[in-house]
Amino acid sequence: MVYIPLIHGILYTMNKANSINVVSPRTGIAVPLGALVTDRNTPVGEFPDLVPLAEFCKKAGLEIIQLLPVNDTGTQSSPYNGLSAFALHPLYISIQDIPGFDRVLADDESFAKNYHIYMTAHAKDRRFNYAGLLQQKTALLETLYRAFPEGTDAAADKALADWIAKNPWVKSYAVFKHLKYVYMQASWKSWPKKDRIVTADDITARWNDPELHPKHLFYAWMQMTAHNQFLQAARAVQAMGIILKGDIPIMMNEDSCDSWSEPGIFNHTLRAGSPPDATNPSGQSWGFPTYQWNNLQKDGYRWWKARLITASDYYQAYRLDHILGFFRIWAVPEGDCSAVLGHPEPCKPITRAQLVKAGFDNGRIRWLSEPHIPTGVIEDITWNHDAAVRILSLAADRIGSEELWNFKPTVQGDRELYALDLTGLCTEDAAVRIKKLLADYWNNRTLIPLAVSRTPGKECTKFLPAWYYTSSISWKSLSQEEQQSLEKLFVKNSTQQLELWKAHAQELLPELTKSVPMVPCGEDLGVGLACVPGVLKENGILGLRVVRWERRWEAPEQPFIDFSDYDALSVTTTSVHDSPTLRQWWEDEPEASALFKKAFKENFPRTRGSRTKSAAQAADTGTVITADSFSPAIAESVLTAAAGSASMWCIHPLQDFLYLQKKYWLKDKSQERINIPGTVSDFNWTYRMPVSISRLMTDDTIIEKIAHISKLHKDSAGGVQ
């Protein structure tokens, strides 16, 4: 039995008003809402479809349903590209459940025709057509809105007025959505100044504009409709004793209502991302603005708490995406294409005074923090000195009469360097090489100047070490004594920053987690900060344990960690939405899957027919299976092994459960993925179940297998007290 006073003391207290015992060991399913397929035969999953899913889960012994974010993302299919922190996605509204639908269907021939097209045109699509369905559904909703409610004007409808009064955020959202429509979905940053820069009073005035008000009410009506349908479904799920778990993205889309209407919350000069690593040597810039945490703190984290309070209308648990960002965000300058010159926020910078004290005068500091470009490196490409000088003059200033250049103070990032117009100065091939070379020089420095570093005419007083500083030209030019002096500063800086990040999270996370009666879970994948596990535990936040990545990477052969050694305060899963499915991993990474099978051989017994013998039966005969190809038996064995996890919860993707029956496999296994990170396509985020929920309800074999796996975890964990 695992006894965790923290879980009992925090999580149970938070949920004592909830009839569900959230702290018991549970097994659940993770699925995007849009993926659901039911007898309603809609071309995309909708809020009411959660009810039959919950009925299946209850029958199969599953006690958690985890969803991807369901906020409005506009024209973007990624659920992590939210257009609003509060608004639900209209795509998930059930048209046929809207009051008055039957009357409009019968009386409006055009509506009936368009609804038929909506319901049938994409019936055979393997993945749902995000853009097409959203456009068609929005048009249908607008027709229904004009007929809502029967016999009265929507603006006078008391139910809508009352809902708006309780959800004041919808006013700025509606104004924003209408402006997006007016400007053909263009980013608000490209709008005319009168619409781009607004105050709360401006938004209120626009909301109340008599001519625009009916248009604004359409968006508010859609949100009320979505809320009512989602709330009804969520309450039905909860009534069945099943936890509904949501997903809260840490960042907001740059082109979102919130970043437009709440400018004090976001820092648009920086972009959130991740530092360089073996997989991404240039790091990642996600395109999301960072937060101005000081402003949020002064306001008592109002906006963040409001996000969670809104989510608590529907969920009993939630996943905080990229929880490392609550310790520190890797902040990338807006003008940079790569994340090489990113830095952590918050940070503890090295001051100019510290550098001077360490023996570096202003000239040396400039050498370390500003790239110096020899004329010759460009001339080697152009084979013409004058052309090289003319090219460099576009982006750099010559240092006296030397054949050496510094980038102009007005250059804001390497994005400008890639955009240089070199027409007539060199060949097209040479232009590509020169731009890449200039960008490489831009990133080539020992120190990153912070804050005013890119403000022309102002001297920077704060610096951080660049990620690749040991590879920089300036670092290699230093004496050993100078390198040691800088390293000493860097080590001190690193130690101070670790304490800063820990303190930042210790202040921020309790403010958020204690504001709502939901179980907090954190996506802590790839976290290398030693302080993270302790802070999560202090705040009762469940970490994430993805089976294939839970290995002792520093040990010989990088063995898998035994499931019994997993943290109790965690969620075990076989796959995540950004990873290959269990089937893909097993078949495409045979060395890893073979090592997994070797580590948990007691869970891979010889099969008889379609059923796998239990580990106890296998132990009696001393036999294990030897087949390497993926099969339902292997899927069951992996899920059975994972059921032995000490984690409080086990939540596996729908696809990995469907592998228990081969008739539900798709011929092309790649079609079973949800998302391929680093790519933007119509494929991502449009997965659909290959079988309807009602058909699964009649499949006693898969229900029996899932129920057995769920019971194994409950028995294995022994109960969290």
Side-chain angles (χ1 to χ4, degrees):
M1 179 173 291
V2 181
Y3 178 70
I4 304 177
L6 185 74
I7 296 179
H8 189 270
I10 295 180
L11 300 189
Y12 183 75
T13 299
M14 288 169 55
N15 291 274
K16 62 185 179 181
N18 193 323
S19 60
I20 300 175
N21 177 15
V22 297
V23 299
S24 64
R26 289 172 175 264
T27 298
I29 188 171
V31 60
L33 178 58
L36 300 183
V37 176
T38 69
D39 287 344
R40 297 157 64 92
N41 293 320
T42 52
V44 64
E46 299 170 340
F47 292 120
D49 296 333
L50 288 169
V51 178
L53 177 65
E55 291 170 347
F56 167 75
C57 288
K58 187 172 183 64
K59 190 173 182 180
L62 296 170
E63 301 175 285
I64 303 171
I65 295 174
Q66 176 177 315
L67 301 176
L68 290 178
V70 293
N71 294 92
D72 185 4
T73 57
T75 59
Q76 304 294 317
S77 63
S78 169
Y80 295 94
N81 240 330
L83 208 64
S84 167
F86 305 96
L88 296 172
H89 208 310
L91 186 66
Y92 304 133
I93 293 174
S94 170
I95 293 177
Q96 57 190 286
D97 286 344
I98 295 175
F101 165 78
D102 290 335
R103 176 180 59 79
V104 178
L105 187 67
D107 296 347
D108 189 329
E109 185 177 338
S110 177
F111 176 84
K113 178 181 177 181
N114 290 332
Y115 180 70
H116 176 74
I117 292 173
Y118 170 79
M119 290 290 286
T120 60
H122 306 285
K124 296 183 179 179
D125 290 350
R126 172 50 60 199
R127 303 181 79 89
F128 65 83
N129 181 338
Y130 178 85
L133 292 176
L134 179 60
Q135 183 180 20
Q136 292 174 346
K137 177 166 278 188
T138 302
L140 291 168
L141 287 169
E142 192 167 6
T143 299
L144 284 172
Y145 165 70
R146 289 197 300 266
F148 167 83
E150 185 175 359
T152 65
D153 182 77
D157 181 74
K158 186 176 184 305
L160 180 57
D162 289 347
W163 190 86
I164 292 171
K166 293 177 183 177
N167 297 273
W169 57 264
V170 80
K171 295 181 180 180
S172 58
Y173 166 78
V175 171
F176 179 79
K177 287 283 285 189
H178 177 64
L179 285 170
K180 288 284 285 182
Y181 172 78
V182 169
Y183 293 115
M184 301 180 69
Q185 306 304 322
S187 167
W188 66 266
K189 289 193 169 185
S190 68
W191 298 351
K193 186 176 180 179
K194 66 180 181 66
D195 293 327
R196 185 176 71 251
I197 302 174
V198 294
T199 64
D201 289 341
D202 292 333
I203 293 173
T204 299
R206 291 163 191 259
W207 166 263
N208 291 325
D209 185 311
E211 183 178 346
L212 298 176
H213 198 54
K215 297 179 175 66
H216 294 153
L217 282 177
F218 168 57
Y219 297 105
W221 172 79
M222 281 199 295
Q223 285 305 307
M224 181 187 71
T225 302
H227 166 77
N228 289 340
Q229 290 189 1
F230 192 17
L231 185 63
Q232 183 178 359
R235 287 177 174 172
V237 171
Q238 185 177 354
M240 291 183 230
I242 293 173
I243 293 172
L244 194 60
K245 179 183 175 185
D247 194 338
I248 311 296
I250 182 173
M251 310 308 301
M252 286 302 303
N253 191 337
E254 174 186 40
D255 185 29
S256 67
C257 169
D258 302 80
S259 66
W260 170 74
S261 63
E262 299 261 18
I265 291 177
F266 303 94
N267 183 350
H268 287 282
T269 66
L270 296 172
R271 295 289 178 270
S274 60
D277 57 27
T279 305
N280 298 287
S282 295
Q284 294 181 32
S285 179
W286 301 329
F288 303 129
T290 60
Y291 289 113
Q292 298 195 62
W293 288 114
N294 289 339
N295 291 346
L296 282 160
Q297 181 188 43
K298 292 174 186 176
D299 200 18
Y301 302 104
R302 167 194 56 82
W303 179 83
W304 255 105
K305 289 177 180 177
R307 289 185 74 183
L308 296 177
I309 291 170
T310 299
S312 69
D313 284 345
Y314 319 110
Y315 305 117
Q316 293 80 52
Y318 63 103
R319 170 188 180 272
L320 280 172
D321 175 51
H322 189 61
I323 203 162
L324 178 60
F326 293 97
F327 291 78
R328 66 105 177 109
I329 281 285
W330 189 252
V332 182
E334 181 183 18
D336 283 350
C337 295
S338 77
V340 170
L341 293 187
H343 66 274
E345 284 284 343
C347 64
K348 179 70 174 178
I350 297 168
T351 66
R352 183 176 289 269
Q354 287 177 299
L355 290 168
V356 171
K357 185 177 180 180
F360 298 91
D361 60 20
N362 286 339
R364 297 295 274 166
I365 293 173
R366 186 179 186 186
W367 169 250
L368 293 168
S369 61
E370 297 184 30
H372 290 58
I373 316 159
T375 310
V377 298
I378 305 298
E379 190 174 345
D380 287 343
I381 298 175
T382 62
W383 293 97
N384 184 300
H385 179 78
D386 290 341
V389 169
R390 291 172 64 190
I391 289 170
L392 282 166
S393 298
L394 296 174
D397 294 324
R398 196 167 194 161
I399 302 173
S401 59
E402 297 182 64
E403 295 291 353
L404 207 59
W405 304 69
N406 287 137
F407 286 107
K408 293 178 183 293
T410 54
V411 175
Q412 298 293 302
D414 61 4
R415 199 178 303 278
E416 293 180 41
L417 303 177
Y418 282 113
L420 288 175
D421 183 4
L422 304 185
T423 305
L425 297 176
C426 60
T427 65
E428 187 175 334
D429 177 66
V432 172
R433 293 167 59 196
I434 289 170
K435 292 177 184 180
K436 174 64 167 60
L437 181 65
L438 290 174
D440 288 342
Y441 266 91
W442 176 261
N443 292 323
N444 193 311
R445 57 185 91 198
T446 299
L447 296 174
I448 299 176
L450 295 181
V452 300
S453 62
R454 301 185 183 186
T455 303
K458 290 189 177 181
E459 184 181 74
C460 181
T461 60
K462 299 177 181 179
F463 305 86
L464 282 177
W467 188 268
Y468 290 124
Y469 72 86
T470 58
S471 300
S472 69
I473 294 171
S474 55
W475 174 265
K476 291 177 180 178
S477 73
L478 299 179
S479 68
Q480 185 176 359
E481 182 180 356
E482 288 175 316
Q483 289 181 353
Q484 290 174 346
S485 181
L486 273 182
E487 286 280 14
K488 186 176 180 179
L489 273 180
F490 293 169
V491 170
K492 180 181 179 181
N493 167 262
S494 178
T495 301
Q496 291 175 332
Q497 287 196 141
L498 286 172
E499 291 302 315
L500 176 65
W501 299 337
K502 180 179 180 180
H504 180 63
Q506 284 177 321
E507 176 191 336
L508 174 58
L509 289 173
E511 286 279 345
L512 302 185
T513 58
K514 292 179 181 179
S515 67
V516 287
M518 296 189 290
V519 179
C521 304
E523 186 270 288
D524 56 347
L525 301 178
V527 170
L529 301 184
C531 63
V532 171
V535 173
L536 296 190
K537 187 173 183 179
E538 288 173 16
N539 291 280
I541 300 173
L542 279 65
L544 183 62
R545 301 293 173 263
V546 183
V547 171
R548 70 193 64 175
W549 297 325
E550 285 301 301
R551 300 170 66 174
R552 305 193 188 281
W553 296 103
E554 73 290 346
E557 295 188 349
Q558 300 173 330
F560 282 88
I561 296 173
D562 194 275
F563 287 106
S564 63
D565 292 332
Y566 281 21
D567 296 325
L569 202 65
S570 68
V571 177
T572 291
T573 186
T574 48
S575 311
V576 294
H577 57 260
D578 281 337
S579 77
T581 63
L582 176 59
R583 175 187 173 192
Q584 285 181 294
W585 173 68
W586 194 270
E587 294 182 349
D588 296 344
E589 298 183 42
E591 291 184 3
S593 56
L595 187 63
F596 179 89
K597 188 163 68 171
K598 179 180 178 182
F600 303 101
K601 56 182 179 295
E602 69 274 10
N603 296 106
F604 289 83
R606 180 176 298 165
T607 59
R608 290 181 180 173
S610 62
R611 291 292 293 149
T612 302
K613 299 193 332 181
S614 68
Q617 290 173 312
D620 291 339
T621 61
T623 58
V624 295
I625 66 170
T626 58
D628 292 323
S629 59
F630 192 69
S631 65
I634 286 181
E636 186 172 4
S637 295
V638 174
L639 290 165
T640 298
S645 168
S647 296
M648 189 169 92
W649 289 346
C650 285
I651 305 176
H652 308 301
L654 166 72
Q655 301 95 307
D656 290 358
F657 276 119
L658 292 182
Y659 290 142
L660 294 170
Q661 284 278 64
K662 195 164 186 176
K663 61 185 176 181
Y664 302 135
W665 299 14
L666 296 179
K667 183 177 181 180
D668 181 0
K669 64 186 176 185
S670 67
Q671 288 291 326
E672 294 166 336
R673 277 196 76 152
I674 292 174
N675 179 51
I676 302 176
T679 66
V680 178
S681 69
D682 294 337
F683 172 90
N684 288 340
W685 311 109
T686 58
Y687 168 76
R688 295 208 79 196
M689 294 174 61
V691 57
S692 69
I693 296 172
S694 60
R695 184 176 174 189
L696 288 177
M697 286 284 285
T698 64
D699 191 330
D700 292 337
T701 300
I702 199 168
I703 287 173
E704 178 189 347
K705 289 182 178 183
I706 294 174
H708 176 66
I709 290 166
S710 180
K711 184 177 185 302
L712 283 177
H713 176 58
K714 194 177 292 288
D715 293 343
S716 175
V720 180
Q721 300 293 318

